[in-house]
Amino acid sequence: MSDSRPELLAVAPLMPFLMDQLTARYTVHDRIHASDPAGFAQVAPRIRGVVANGEAKVPRELIAQMPKLEIISVFGVGYDGVDVAAAHERGVPVTNTPEVLNDDVADLALGLLLAVARRIPQADRFVREGGWPKGPMPLARKLSGSKLGVVGMGRIGQAIAERALAFRMDVAYTARSPRANVAHTYYATAESLAAAVDFLVVITPGGAATRGMIDAKVFKALGPDGYLVNVARGSVVDEAALIEALQSGTIAGAGLDVFANEPNVPDALRAMPNVVLTPHIGSGTRQTREAMGQLTFDNLAAHFAGKPLLTPVDR
Ligand code: NAP
């Protein structure tokens, strides 16, 4: 059934807060392209908008199936699953949700730094499992005053650096080029940055340009007293090389929010005592997810009202 309201394809599960707002104004086909390809073929010619999330795939072939597509609105700041070039070739803008999640992702990065350095999850298990009466918890690693390397000094990277200063950390960073507005020491490569710091936090976009950039050479440079925190995308870290580096003691430990093949986390990582694992919850607070949902909705509303988009990704 179609009505006069614009028809949208949701290519990912959307939170009720967003879905309720969308269904009040649009006809939403919820993941029909995956669940019912024949049904999708019927509605595809009418689809005017796609709603995705940071992990969703919107490849060229899918875009090509929707001749009336006008906009792709991504619930998330990372849009590496969307073929932006294919969309832009068709004149279809892509929007994302920058800024509103900076605090949460930076908070989690600091949380993971504290968790791996001070071994907070391990200490919690130690108490629960009755280890304390048998003797003290082994000593941990001090975070305050140590050296932090940030890989990707963008919106979230700068929010991480800001927080690290409160811990009197000495902050340095890498990106493809130095940032004029950032006073921290710049290193041209992740490897040279890793060699200079105690903790390395990765917060670049995913996608082809950053795939596997945190590799065995970077781990060797980080060294046996060094820790990795990844809150970017699983693809940015060579996961096999990371497992090898952790198993061999090439690095001391890792805090990981993102993985190569989510939601599947390699058994080797799950078994390691020097690793803290979280299930891609960087922006996972009610407050921030609602703000992201609102921005996803507002971009669509602006488009269908003929107004300028709030947060289009660069053309
Ligand atoms: P942003 O403002 O665009 O910053 C990205 C930074 O990465 C910039 O400093 C950029 O600098 C650098 N960069 C880009 N490509 C690079 C490359 N090939 N090599 C080295 N550095 C590179 O983005 P943001 O808003 O901070 O978000 C960053 C990423 O965080 C997102 O794209 C997403 O993947 C991830 N994220 C994860 C979660 C989570 O739940 N864990 C939540 C939100 C976001 P140059 O352009 O100068 O290279």
Side-chain angles (χ1 to χ4, degrees):
M1 283 286 287
S2 80
D3 55 30
S4 58
R5 306 183 313 165
E7 296 191 39
L8 306 179
L9 173 68
V11 294
L14 301 175
M15 51 181 248
F17 170 84
L18 174 57
M19 195 52 127
D20 291 349
Q21 282 201 80
L22 290 173
T23 51
R25 193 180 292 192
Y26 307 99
T27 298
V28 182
H29 302 281
D30 189 6
R31 290 166 282 167
I32 187 177
H33 66 306
S35 62
D36 177 11
F40 176 57
Q42 299 288 310
V43 301
R46 303 195 302 266
I47 300 285
R48 295 173 63 191
V50 162
V51 190
N53 67 11
E55 291 88 61
K57 302 271 177 281
V58 187
R60 179 177 288 273
E61 306 77 62
L62 182 61
I63 293 169
Q65 283 177 273
M66 296 175 281
K68 294 227 171 78
L69 186 63
E70 297 169 27
I71 180 166
I72 300 172
S73 183
V74 180
F75 173 92
V77 69
Y79 47 85
D80 39 290
V82 179
D83 192 330
V84 177
H88 285 176
E89 276 167 31
R90 285 260 313 273
V92 173
V94 178
T95 62
N96 65 345
T97 63
E99 304 289 359
V100 295
L101 40 60
N102 295 354
D103 282 342
D104 269 5
V105 184
D107 289 353
L108 186 75
L110 266 292
L112 285 172
L113 284 167
L114 283 165
V116 283
R118 300 301 305 274
R119 308 184 67 232
I120 296 171
Q122 295 89 330
D124 176 86
R125 285 197 291 274
F126 185 76
V127 175
R128 283 175 203 276
E129 292 167 5
W132 197 5
K134 296 174 199 156
M137 173 97 185
L139 297 180
R141 166 75 164 89
K142 182 173 178 176
L143 185 73
S144 284
S146 62
K147 293 184 181 142
L148 175 69
V150 181
V151 181
M153 189 53 81
R155 291 170 292 238
I156 303 171
Q158 289 172 58
I160 293 170
E162 206 176 275
R163 284 157 176 74
L165 295 181
F167 287 81
R168 299 189 314 280
M169 296 180 89
D170 185 3
V171 179
Y173 74 104
T174 187
R176 285 168 299 188
S177 54
R179 290 230 159 196
N181 63 334
V182 170
H184 305 298
T185 307
Y186 173 78
Y187 289 83
T189 65
E191 188 181 353
S192 56
L193 176 67
V197 300
D198 306 305
F199 295 88
L200 193 69
V201 174
V202 185
I203 187 63
T204 60
T210 55
R211 187 170 301 281
M213 73 180 272
I214 307 301
D215 60 9
K217 283 189 290 201
V218 176
F219 298 131
K220 188 153 186 284
L222 190 55
D225 296 322
Y227 292 81
L228 174 81
V229 165
N230 186 12
V231 285
R233 286 284 185 264
S235 60
V236 185
V237 171
D238 179 339
E239 207 167 70
L242 171 62
I243 292 168
E244 154 65 22
L246 288 162
Q247 283 171 337
S248 62
T250 302
I251 65 170
L256 307 170
D257 185 48
V258 286
F259 303 88
N261 180 30
E262 296 173 8
N264 305 301
V265 176
D267 289 343
L269 285 176
R270 295 200 292 156
M272 279 178 212
N274 52 341
V275 173
V276 177
L277 306 167
T278 53
H280 201 148
I281 54 165
S283 64
T285 66
R286 192 159 30 84
Q287 292 75 11
T288 291
R289 289 281 166 88
E290 286 186 2
M292 292 164 65
Q294 193 62 52
L295 189 47
T296 306
F297 180 86
D298 289 347
N299 271 305
L300 286 166
H303 170 76
F304 287 111
K307 293 184 179 155
L309 298 171
L310 283 81
T311 48
V313 311
D314 40 321
R315 287 159 184 284

